[in-house]
Amino acid sequence: QEQLVESGGGLVQAGRSLRLSCVASGIIFSSNAMGWYRQAPGKQRELVAFIKSDGRTNYGDFVKGRFTISRDNAKNTVYLQMNSLKPEDTAVYYCAAPRGATTTSWGQGTQVTVSS
């Protein structure tokens, strides 16, 4: 069964950096697009970054060059490097693996809290 295990969240001060990791199993990782989403209390889940199997990437408009998504197919891992963090980045961050047109696998989420 597919499984996504996230790590790297925590409590940091504004301006600091965090690197999130997501290790995938149960899928052919190199053939799958992977994404990071986030959800703050009372708000809908939003796209943070997305990387296709060919390496092409997309980012949410709010990132403004601060975040970078990457993947290491040899480790079945997708990363999200977050720099210059702001309090409004506070949210639960989820790793996602689309499994076709109608199915997506999700990680358990990792909390990122940015203090001012």
Coordinates of all heavy atoms in Angstrom, one line a residue, residues 1-4 22-35 37 50-51 53 71 76 95-107:
Q1 N 0.8 -1.2 0.0 CA 0.0 0.0 0.0 C 0.9 1.2 0.0 O 2.0 1.2 0.6 CB -0.9 0.0 1.2 CG -2.0 1.1 1.2 CD -2.9 1.0 2.4 OE1 -2.5 0.8 3.5 NE2 -4.2 1.3 2.1
E2 N 0.5 2.3 -0.7 CA 1.2 3.5 -0.8 C 1.3 4.2 0.6 O 0.4 4.1 1.4 CB 0.6 4.5 -1.8 CG -0.7 5.1 -1.4 CD -1.9 4.2 -1.6 OE1 -1.7 3.0 -2.1 OE2 -3.0 4.6 -1.3
Q3 N 2.5 4.8 0.9 CA 2.7 5.5 2.1 C 3.6 6.6 1.9 O 4.6 6.5 1.3 CB 3.2 4.5 3.2 CG 3.4 5.1 4.6 CD 3.9 4.1 5.6 OE1 4.5 3.1 5.2 NE2 3.5 4.3 6.8
L4 N 3.2 7.8 2.5 CA 4.1 9.0 2.5 C 4.4 9.4 3.9 O 3.5 9.6 4.7 CB 3.3 10.1 1.7 CG 2.8 9.8 0.3 CD1 2.0 11.0 -0.2 CD2 4.0 9.4 -0.6
C22 N 9.8 14.1 2.4 CA 8.7 13.2 2.3 C 9.2 11.9 1.6 O 9.7 12.0 0.5 CB 7.5 13.8 1.5 SG 6.2 12.6 1.0
V23 N 9.2 10.8 2.3 CA 9.7 9.5 1.8 C 8.5 8.7 1.4 O 7.5 8.5 2.2 CB 10.5 8.8 2.8 CG1 11.0 7.4 2.3 CG2 11.7 9.6 3.3
A24 N 8.5 8.3 0.1 CA 7.3 7.6 -0.5 C 7.7 6.1 -0.6 O 8.8 5.7 -0.9 CB 7.0 8.1 -1.8
S25 N 6.7 5.3 -0.4 CA 6.8 3.8 -0.6 C 5.5 3.3 -1.3 O 4.4 4.0 -1.2 CB 7.1 3.1 0.6 OG 6.0 3.2 1.6
G26 N 5.5 2.2 -1.9 CA 4.3 1.6 -2.5 C 4.0 2.2 -3.9 O 2.9 1.9 -4.4
I27 N 4.8 3.1 -4.4 CA 4.6 3.6 -5.7 C 5.9 3.6 -6.5 O 7.0 3.4 -5.9 CB 4.1 5.1 -5.7 CG1 5.2 6.0 -5.1 CG2 2.8 5.2 -4.9 CD1 4.9 7.5 -5.1
I28 N 5.8 3.7 -7.8 CA 7.0 3.8 -8.7 C 7.3 5.3 -8.6 O 6.8 6.1 -9.4 CB 6.8 3.3 -10.1 CG1 6.3 1.8 -10.0 CG2 8.0 3.4 -10.9 CD1 5.9 1.2 -11.4
F29 N 8.2 5.7 -7.7 CA 8.4 7.1 -7.4 C 8.8 7.9 -8.6 O 8.3 9.0 -8.8 CB 9.4 7.2 -6.3 CG 9.6 8.6 -5.8 CD1 8.7 9.2 -4.9 CD2 10.7 9.3 -6.3 CE1 8.9 10.5 -4.5 CE2 10.9 10.6 -5.9 CZ 10.0 11.2 -5.0
S30 N 9.8 7.4 -9.4 CA 10.3 8.1 -10.5 C 9.3 8.5 -11.6 O 9.5 9.4 -12.3 CB 11.5 7.4 -11.1 OG 11.1 6.1 -11.7
S31 N 8.2 7.7 -11.6 CA 7.1 8.0 -12.6 C 6.0 8.9 -12.1 O 5.1 9.2 -12.9 CB 6.5 6.6 -13.0 OG 7.5 5.8 -13.6
N32 N 6.1 9.2 -10.8 CA 5.0 10.0 -10.2 C 5.3 11.5 -10.0 O 6.4 11.8 -9.6 CB 4.7 9.4 -8.8 CG 3.5 8.5 -8.9 OD1 3.6 7.3 -9.2 ND2 2.3 9.0 -8.5
A33 N 4.4 12.3 -10.3 CA 4.5 13.7 -9.9 C 4.3 13.7 -8.4 O 3.6 12.9 -7.8 CB 3.4 14.5 -10.6
M34 N 4.9 14.7 -7.7 CA 4.8 14.9 -6.3 C 4.5 16.3 -6.0 O 4.9 17.2 -6.7 CB 6.0 14.4 -5.6 CG 6.4 13.0 -5.8 SD 5.3 11.8 -5.0 CE 5.5 12.2 -3.3
G35 N 3.8 16.6 -4.9 CA 3.4 17.9 -4.5 C 3.5 18.2 -3.0 O 3.4 17.2 -2.2
Y37 N 1.3 20.6 -0.3 CA 0.2 21.5 0.0 C 0.2 21.9 1.4 O 0.9 21.3 2.3 CB -1.1 20.7 -0.3 CG -1.3 20.4 -1.8 CD1 -0.6 19.4 -2.4 CD2 -2.3 21.1 -2.5 CE1 -0.9 19.1 -3.7 CE2 -2.5 20.9 -3.9 CZ -1.8 19.8 -4.5 OH -2.0 19.5 -5.8
F50 N 4.8 21.9 -6.8 CA 4.5 20.7 -7.5 C 5.7 20.3 -8.4 O 6.2 21.2 -9.1 CB 3.2 20.8 -8.3 CG 2.6 19.5 -8.8 CD1 1.8 18.8 -7.9 CD2 2.8 19.1 -10.1 CE1 1.2 17.6 -8.3 CE2 2.2 17.9 -10.5 CZ 1.4 17.2 -9.6
I51 N 6.1 19.1 -8.5 CA 7.1 18.7 -9.4 C 6.7 17.4 -10.1 O 6.2 16.4 -9.6 CB 8.5 18.4 -8.6 CG1 9.6 18.1 -9.6 CG2 8.3 17.3 -7.5 CD1 11.0 18.2 -8.9
S53 N 7.3 14.3 -13.1 CA 8.3 13.2 -13.2 C 9.4 13.7 -14.1 O 10.5 13.1 -13.9 CB 7.6 11.9 -13.8 OG 7.1 12.2 -15.0
R71 N 13.5 16.6 -5.9 CA 13.2 15.2 -5.7 C 14.5 14.4 -5.9 O 15.4 14.8 -6.7 CB 12.1 14.7 -6.6 CG 12.4 14.7 -8.1 CD 11.2 14.5 -8.9 NE 10.7 13.1 -8.7 CZ 9.4 12.8 -8.9 NH1 8.5 13.6 -9.4 NH2 9.0 11.5 -8.6
N76 N 13.6 7.9 -3.2 CA 12.1 8.0 -3.1 C 11.7 9.1 -2.3 O 10.7 9.0 -1.5 CB 11.5 6.7 -2.7 CG 11.5 5.6 -3.7 OD1 12.1 5.8 -4.8 ND2 10.7 4.6 -3.5
C95 N 2.4 16.2 2.1 CA 3.0 15.7 0.9 C 1.9 14.9 0.1 O 1.0 14.3 0.8 CB 4.1 14.7 1.3 SG 4.9 13.9 -0.1
A96 N 1.9 15.0 -1.2 CA 0.8 14.4 -2.0 C 1.4 13.7 -3.2 O 2.4 14.2 -3.8 CB -0.2 15.5 -2.4
A97 N 0.8 12.6 -3.5 CA 1.2 11.8 -4.7 C 0.0 11.5 -5.5 O -0.8 10.6 -5.1 CB 1.9 10.6 -4.3
P98 N -0.3 12.2 -6.6 CA -1.4 11.8 -7.5 C -1.2 10.4 -8.0 O -0.1 10.1 -8.5 CB -1.3 12.9 -8.6 CG -0.6 14.0 -8.0 CD 0.4 13.4 -7.1
R99 N -2.3 9.6 -8.0 CA -2.2 8.3 -8.5 C -3.1 8.0 -9.7 O -3.6 6.9 -9.9 CB -2.6 7.3 -7.3 CG -1.8 7.4 -6.1 CD -0.3 7.1 -6.4 NE -0.1 5.8 -7.1 CZ -0.1 4.7 -6.5 NH1 -0.3 4.6 -5.2 NH2 0.1 3.6 -7.2
G100 N -3.4 9.1 -10.4 CA -4.3 9.0 -11.5 C -5.2 10.2 -11.5 O -5.0 11.2 -10.8
A101 N -6.3 10.2 -12.3 CA -7.1 11.3 -12.5 C -8.0 11.6 -11.3 O -8.3 12.8 -11.0 CB -8.1 11.1 -13.7
T102 N -8.3 10.6 -10.4 CA -9.2 10.8 -9.3 C -8.7 10.4 -8.0 O -9.4 10.6 -7.0 CB -10.5 10.1 -9.6 OG1 -10.2 8.7 -9.7 CG2 -11.2 10.6 -10.9
T103 N -7.5 9.9 -7.9 CA -7.0 9.4 -6.6 C -5.6 10.1 -6.3 O -4.8 10.3 -7.1 CB -6.7 7.9 -6.7 OG1 -8.0 7.3 -7.0 CG2 -6.3 7.4 -5.3
T104 N -5.5 10.5 -5.0 CA -4.3 11.1 -4.5 C -4.0 10.5 -3.1 O -4.8 10.4 -2.3 CB -4.4 12.6 -4.4 OG1 -4.7 13.2 -5.6 CG2 -3.2 13.3 -3.8
S105 N -2.7 10.2 -3.0 CA -2.2 9.7 -1.7 C -1.7 10.9 -0.9 O -1.0 11.7 -1.5 CB -1.2 8.6 -1.8 OG -1.7 7.5 -2.4
W106 N -1.9 10.9 0.4 CA -1.5 12.1 1.2 C -0.7 11.6 2.4 O -0.9 10.5 2.9 CB -2.7 12.8 1.8 CG -3.6 13.5 0.8 CD1 -4.7 13.0 0.1 CD2 -3.4 14.8 0.2 NE1 -5.2 13.9 -0.8 CE2 -4.4 15.0 -0.7 CE3 -2.4 15.8 0.4 CZ2 -4.5 16.2 -1.5 CZ3 -2.6 17.0 -0.3 CH2 -3.6 17.2 -1.2
G107 N 0.3 12.4 2.8 CA 1.0 12.1 4.0 C 0.2 12.5 5.2 O -0.9 13.1 5.1

